Amino acid sequence: MQRILFICSMNRWRSPTAEQIFSEHPGVETSSAGLNHGADNPLTPELLEWADLIFVMERSHKDKLGRDFKAYLLGKRVICLNVPDHYKFMDPALIKLLHAKVDRFLGRATGPSA
């Protein structure tokens, strides 16, 4: 089972959407968190230790992750998806964009066209 963590700023729209849509993928367990103070599900060292693969939505998230949680990232792969904060939870355009960017890392297509 591959454990995937999705990270955005507040864990309200982008990362919870990714967590939900990829939770259905076979062989994958998902979670999500936010980096900012007041995030709905704040990032913890335990979540980072749990994760096999980490996706961040923006370059600033990767930078902050490296700065604030560097000790917990040893041996972890962190991938920046470059998904801007322009979407609401489960926005169809966000879902399509996430599939376009994440599917290739999961070994087979999982999106609507799969």
Side-chain angles (χ1 to χ4, degrees):
M1 182 73 64
Q2 185 177 33
R3 295 174 299 212
I4 301 175
L5 177 62
F6 295 96
I7 298 172
C8 66
S9 299
M10 296 301 291
N11 190 234
R12 294 195 178 131
W13 298 331
R14 294 174 290 174
S15 59
T17 297
E19 176 184 8
Q20 184 168 326
I21 65 173
F22 292 106
S23 69
E24 304 288 322
H25 190 277
V28 170
E29 188 176 344
T30 61
S31 190
S32 65
L35 279 168
N36 290 356
H37 178 72
D40 286 0
N41 183 40
L43 182 62
T44 63
E46 293 78 17
L47 273 173
L48 291 171
E49 289 173 351
W50 168 86
D52 298 316
L53 181 59
I54 301 164
F55 289 102
V56 295
M57 297 297 158
E58 299 176 33
R59 180 69 198 188
S60 62
H61 300 145
K62 190 170 186 176
D63 294 342
K64 187 172 185 176
L65 185 63
R67 185 178 61 246
D68 297 349
F69 293 92
K70 184 177 183 176
Y72 302 99
L73 297 175
L74 296 175
K76 301 287 182 175
R77 185 170 183 199
V78 179
I79 298 165
C80 181
L81 297 174
N82 294 309
V83 174
D85 194 9
H86 298 153
Y87 305 95
K88 299 291 185 188
F89 181 68
M90 297 303 286
D91 180 323
L94 174 58
I95 292 169
K96 182 177 180 181
L97 181 59
L98 287 168
H99 276 296
K101 292 182 175 263
V102 174
D103 284 351
R104 64 189 169 120
F105 294 100
L106 302 183
R108 69 175 185 87
T110 60
S113 62

